[in-house]
Amino acid sequence: MTRIYFAAGARRWADYSTHLPAALAEAGVQAEIVTKAPDPATVDYIVFAPGGDITDFTPFTRARAVLGLWAGVERIVGNRTLTQPLCRMVDQGLTEGMVEWVTGHVLRHHLNLDRWIRGEPGWHQDAPPLARERTVAMLGLGELGAACARTLAGLNFRVLGWSRAPKTLPGIETAHGEAGLQQVLSRAGIVVTLLPATPETENLLDARRLGWLPPGAVVLNPGRGCLIDEAALLAALDAGRLGHATLDVFRTEPLPEDHPFRGHRRVTITPHIAAETRPYSAARVIAENIRRGEAGEPFLHLVDRTRGY
Ligand code: NDP
C-alpha cells in the first residue's frame, strides 16, 4: 500500500485529516497516511509545508515526490538534501482568493474609495475615470498573476503583463526583460507584484525601477516581501512620489510592531492573507499527484530547481 507521510505539522493535519483521505479515495488511491515520524525508508510521498517536520530529506530514499502545500517554494527549493521531485501547490481556492484580494485593492485605489469612506465634506462631483482609462501592471503572469490579469482585463482595465519568458495572453499587452519592465512600469497607475522570491527577483522594485513609475502610482504587493527594496519604497512614499502601497507580504513576518510601514499614512498592511490554500481543494491536488505518481504519469506543478520556482 502507498505510504504518505504528512509532514506539514500537527496543526495543519487537523485541517487535512478529513479532506486528504476523502480526496485519495476519490482519486482511487489506496494509501496509508502517517503523521508521526515513520521509518523514512518506508515513505512513498511526503506532504510538506515550511515549518513542518522535515529539514533533512536524505533518509527518504523511497520517496517518489515531495508535495508542497504552499505556492511559494523559496523555503525549500534551496534545500540540498532534497533530491526527490518537488511539486508546489496550485489550488483553485488559492487562485480565487488572490484574484479577489487583487481586484478589491485595485478597485479601492482606482475609485479612490478612501475619500468617500473618510467622508469628505462638501459636494465635489468629480467622478473617477473608467477602468478602461486606468493602466495596471501585473509583474508575474503565472497561475496567480495571469488569473488576476484576466479578471482585471474583464473589468476593462488596460492590463500590461510582465514575465520572465515572452508570453501571449488574450486582451493583455505583455512584455519581458529589463526594457519590457521599464515600458510596463512607466505606464502603470497601479502595479501588482506576483512574482516568486528568487535571487533574480530580490529587490526587483528598487529605487531606480520605482522611479520609472508615474507620479502618484500605487504599488500592491501580494507576492513576497523581498521583491521590493523597503527603504526605497518608503523614501518614494515619504516624498509623495508614490501615492500608496498596499502590502500583504514582508521580509519579516509577523511585521515588527515598530516597523516604519506601520501607521504610515500611505501604507496599508494586510497580514499575509491575500490567498490561502484551502484544504478541501488542495487535498485533491495532492491526491491527483499521488495518483499520477502511482500510474507513472508526469507530476503536476513540478518546480524547476534551476529557475527556483
Ligand atoms: P508561478 O510560478 O505560476 O508564476 C510566477 C511568474 O513570475 C511567472 O509568470 C514567471 O515568469 C514570473 N517570473 C519569475 N521570475 C521572474 C523574473 N526573474 N523576471 C520576470 N518574471 C519572473 O507562481 P504563482 O503565480 O502561482 O505565484 C506567484 C507568487 O505569489 C508565489 O511565488 C508566492 O510568492 C506568491 N503567493 C502569495 C500568497 C499570499 O497569500 N500573499 C499566496 C500564494 C502565493 P514565466 O511565466 O516566464 O515563468
Side-chain angles (χ1 to χ4, degrees), residues 99 102-112 128-138 148-161 170-173 187 189-190 192 220:
V99 166
V102 167
T103 307
H105 288 282
V106 164
L107 285 172
R108 167 193 171 191
H109 294 293
H110 167 62
L111 296 173
N112 197 2
L130 291 172
R132 69 177 73 255
E133 294 155 343
R134 180 87 63 191
T135 301
V136 180
M138 189 64 61
C148 293
R150 274 193 297 272
T151 301
L152 293 172
L155 290 172
N156 288 338
F157 284 101
R158 289 189 298 228
V159 183
L160 309 178
I172 291 151
E173 199 180 317
R187 291 165 60 196
I190 300 174
V192 185
L220 308 184

Side-chain angles (χ1 to χ4, degrees), residues 8-131:
R11 199 177 50 79
R12 272 196 199 82
W13 177 241
D15 298 332
Y16 282 86
S17 59
T18 317
H19 296 296
L20 190 54
L24 288 164
E26 198 178 286
V29 177
Q30 291 208 334
E32 176 200 11
I33 307 171
V34 289
T35 57
K36 301 243 161 52
D39 173 359
T42 65
V43 171
D44 296 302
Y45 298 90
I46 298 169
V47 178
F48 174 86
D53 307 326
I54 306 180
T55 48
D56 182 5
F57 291 87
T58 319
F60 293 90
T61 47
R62 196 168 95 178
R64 273 165 250 169
V66 174
L67 308 170
L69 292 178
W70 281 28
V73 291
E74 70 276 7
R75 287 173 64 183
I76 184 174
V77 74
N79 185 326
R80 287 168 191 268
T81 69
L82 179 66
T83 50
Q84 301 85 347
L86 170 65
C87 302
R88 70 189 191 101
M89 182 49 63
V90 173
D91 161 46
Q92 187 57 29
L94 194 67
T95 306
E96 286 176 25
M98 187 59 81
V99 166
E100 291 176 22
W101 188 95
V102 167
T103 307
H105 288 282
V106 164
L107 285 172
R108 167 193 171 191
H109 294 293
H110 167 62
L111 296 173
N112 197 2
L113 291 181
D114 292 16
R115 180 178 172 188
W116 314 115
I117 291 167
R118 272 197 308 268
E120 188 177 84
W123 190 258
H124 309 287
Q125 285 186 302
D126 39 343
L130 291 172

Side-chain angles (χ1 to χ4, degrees), residues 234-248:
L234 280 163
L237 291 165
D238 287 340
R241 250 206 22 81
L242 292 181
H244 202 92
T246 294
L247 310 171
D248 184 58

Side-chain angles (χ1 to χ4, degrees), residues 71-72 74 88 94 98 140-145 162-165 167 194-198 200-201 222-224 248-249 272-275 307 309:
E74 70 276 7
R88 70 189 191 101
L94 194 67
M98 187 59 81
L141 292 173
E143 294 289 337
L144 301 178
W162 185 74
S163 53
R164 179 172 150 136
K167 207 155 207 169
L194 267 171
L195 298 154
T198 68
E200 287 76 41
T201 61
R224 282 294 182 260
D248 184 58
V249 283
H272 202 147
I273 46 79
R307 291 187 322 187
Y309 68 98

